[in-house]
Amino acid sequence: MANGLLHVTDAEFTKTVLESKTPVLVDFWAEWCGPCRMIAPYVEEIARDYAGKAVVAKMDTDSNPQTPMKYGIMGIPTLIIFKDGKEVERIVGAVPKTAIAKKLDGVLSRN
């Protein structure tokens, strides 16, 4: 886990994401994806900024095709925030860090 960032696989998804007691932001990405590389530093910063409040994970869609297919991911990057095992927010495309933080803050405030 580099900088509080998890790398999750299809096999680990249920335990790591759906069964998490805290909200989880999952970045669905691929090595060849330019926009994915553009937002990668933002995702790493969010992982550090929200340590202890939320889990931040990345899933390589090329190596792990089952989960992206299950959630209907048609383009990457796609970021999904899960809370209590359910999708509560979705961000598609490269967005600024502030947009990601705003969505995550919204989920964290819904207690």
Side-chain angles (χ1 to χ4, degrees):
M1 176 177 10
N3 303 320
L5 190 63
L6 298 176
H7 291 271
V8 68
T9 64
D10 282 335
E12 303 161 335
F13 191 81
T14 296
K15 182 168 179 32
T16 304
V17 177
L18 301 181
E19 295 176 0
S20 176
K21 300 293 183 213
T22 56
V24 183
L25 169 70
V26 181
D27 174 15
F28 293 90
W29 72 288
E31 187 67 41
W32 50 264
C33 168
C36 298
R37 289 196 306 272
M38 264 177 42
I39 69 163
Y42 305 152
V43 174
E44 291 171 14
E45 289 172 23
I46 294 279
R48 283 192 300 273
D49 295 349
Y50 288 83
K53 294 185 272 185
V55 175
V56 179
K58 291 177 73 84
M59 176 175 272
D60 181 340
T61 58
D62 288 341
S63 303
N64 302 282
Q66 292 173 334
T67 304
M69 189 181 312
K70 178 179 178 184
Y71 287 95
I73 299 199
M74 306 301 271
I76 52 175
T78 293
L79 292 87
I80 299 179
I81 302 172
F82 293 87
K83 184 174 181 181
D84 300 323
K86 295 179 176 50
E87 177 181 337
V88 292
E89 291 287 351
R90 182 178 290 225
I91 303 166
V92 179
V95 296
K97 178 185 172 188
T98 53
I100 301 167
K102 185 176 180 182
K103 291 274 192 186
L104 196 49
D105 287 339
V107 170
L108 290 171
S109 69
R110 293 183 208 158
N111 287 331

